[in-house]
Amino acid sequence: MFPGDSPETPAESFVETSTPLTDLHASPQCPSLLEVLSRIGDKWSLCAIGQLYQGPLRFNKLKRSIDGVSQRMLTLTLRNLERDGLVQRTVYPTNPPSVEYQLTELGHTLIGPVKGIFDWAQSHRTDIQQARERFDAQNPEMAQR
Amino acid sequence: MFPGDSPETPAESFVETSTPLTDLHASPQCPSLLEVLSRIGDKWSLCAIGQLYQGPLRFNKLKRSIDGVSQRMLTLTLRNLERDGLVQRTVYPTNPPSVEYQLTELGHTLIGPVKGIFDWAQSHRTDIQQARERFDAQNPEMAQR
DNA sequence: CAGGATCCATGGCGATACTG
DNA sequence: CAGTATCGCCATGGATCCTG
């Protein structure tokens, strides 16, 4: 599946990075990369962001557009995104009330990097799929799901 | 930091994407974007990948390099990464046994996109920090942590 | 050294019911 | 319509002990 890389050479030729990709935890008093990743890695945040990326949406419309989300989780998700400044919540004092959600400018800047991951996942989903099948075949019932 | 994108226009001119960033769930029989994100968004995967990106490592050395990880979680994390074809596990039948972990080629391709997120988090951590403080100040005790 | 097995705490998340 | 409140499940993850 992934050729190259002489199979029996354990410890040679590793690359240097400008940003060493360490320091994932332990960022003093600022939200660490892990916090960011946990936020966008949770079950619904990216779905909400993806929908709001198409344009502003009211709560129930957003809810209907995200299949399977409970109203509780959508509320919590939007609260967190709002708290982090990624989503803006606007209340229109109509009757019945309507609340509109939209991406903030900061939220829009996240789209690019996320699309990077998204495209990677798209490009390599079959690789991953096949790797899993090989692994599960070789390790008969270590399969955890 | 992120110029362009007119600051005060709330609900107009949202961009069109080639990949609409929808279809996060519900990918038929292939690992969805959410699965990928859940994997790399879990507590230790990125730490392990970040360390292995520096070069191959044996289990305990890897464990010592990741502060706070339990041996159980490191094992599970590495298993999942191996299952997904991101990490290769090589056993050397010495005595006592030594096991070396290294990124696969597929694993290396993930570095780029992840660095995108990483850099975004770095660039905007203070923005997020400030947004949180404003939010917590305005919503006195809605603060969940 | 590199795990496996077990126990247990926490929190993410869903379901349901209620409200301004 | 857009939430809040409450309950309970279960997956994640930590601590500890044991093994080839």
Side-chain angles (χ1 to χ4, degrees):
Chain A
M1 185 41 67
F2 26 91
D5 267 351
S6 44
E8 312 297 321
T9 59
E12 50 171 317
S13 81
F14 48 88
V15 198
E16 285 295 320
T17 356
S18 47
T19 37
L21 201 56
T22 48
D23 173 43
L24 298 178
H25 290 253
S27 43
Q29 90 212 13
C30 265
S32 72
L33 173 59
L34 268 204
E35 289 185 67
V36 175
L37 265 169
S38 299
R39 171 92 345 119
I40 70 167
D42 72 4
K43 199 171 179 183
W44 302 112
S45 290
L46 268 190
C47 300
I49 290 177
Q51 291 302 322
L52 293 178
Y53 184 49
Q54 317 290 100
L57 280 176
R58 301 226 320 268
F59 183 84
N60 272 330
K61 190 139 190 189
L62 183 53
K63 180 174 184 315
R64 279 188 298 266
S65 75
I66 302 177
D67 188 68
V69 70
S70 68
Q71 135 273 64
R72 168 188 147 86
M73 286 319 297
L74 183 55
T75 300
L76 288 179
T77 299
L78 290 171
R79 280 290 177 277
N80 285 326
L81 292 176
E82 184 195 1
R83 187 170 110 97
D84 285 0
L86 299 173
V87 157
Q88 183 182 356
R89 177 175 178 270
T90 313
V91 182
Y92 296 102
T94 63
N95 193 320
S98 79
V99 179
E100 193 180 67
Y101 292 92
Q102 58 186 311
L103 284 191
T104 62
E105 194 185 343
L106 181 60
H108 271 100
T109 67
L110 182 56
I111 296 289
V114 164
K115 250 185 60 77
I117 299 276
F118 185 84
D119 293 342
W120 183 91
Q122 291 284 15
S123 310
H124 300 291
R125 47 171 38 173
T126 58
D127 296 333
I128 296 178
Q129 178 74 5
Q130 289 169 7
R132 285 184 183 176
E133 285 168 3
R134 274 195 306 122
F135 184 89
D136 293 346
Q138 286 189 339
N139 311 50
E141 278 322 321
M142 179 185 253
Q144 49 261 66
R145 56 151 49 215
Chain B
M1 190 39 83
F2 33 90
D5 270 350
S6 47
E8 309 296 321
T9 59
E12 49 172 316
S13 81
F14 50 89
V15 199
E16 285 295 320
T17 354
S18 47
T19 38
L21 202 57
T22 47
D23 176 40
L24 299 179
H25 290 253
S27 45
Q29 89 211 13
C30 265
S32 72
L33 172 59
L34 268 204
E35 288 185 70
V36 174
L37 266 168
S38 299
R39 170 94 343 118
I40 70 168
D42 70 6
K43 199 170 179 185
W44 302 112
S45 289
L46 267 190
C47 299
I49 291 177
Q51 291 301 322
L52 293 178
Y53 185 51
Q54 318 288 101
L57 280 176
R58 302 226 320 269
F59 183 84
N60 273 329
K61 188 139 191 186
L62 183 53
K63 180 175 184 315
R64 279 188 299 265
S65 74
I66 302 177
D67 189 68
V69 70
S70 68
Q71 142 269 66
R72 169 188 146 87
M73 286 319 297
L74 183 56
T75 301
L76 288 180
T77 299
L78 290 170
R79 280 289 177 281
N80 285 326
L81 292 176
E82 185 195 3
R83 187 170 111 97
D84 285 0
L86 300 172
V87 158
Q88 184 181 356
R89 177 175 178 270
T90 314
V91 182
Y92 296 102
T94 62
N95 193 320
S98 80
V99 178
E100 193 179 68
Y101 292 91
Q102 57 186 313
L103 284 190
T104 62
E105 195 185 343
L106 180 60
H108 272 100
T109 66
L110 182 56
I111 296 288
V114 163
K115 250 184 62 73
I117 300 276
F118 185 83
D119 294 341
W120 183 91
Q122 292 283 17
S123 310
H124 301 292
R125 47 171 39 174
T126 59
D127 297 332
I128 296 179
Q129 178 72 7
Q130 290 170 7
R132 286 185 184 176
E133 286 167 4
R134 274 194 306 121
F135 184 90
D136 293 346
Q138 287 190 340
N139 310 51
E141 278 323 319
M142 182 185 251
Q144 49 260 65
R145 59 153 47 214

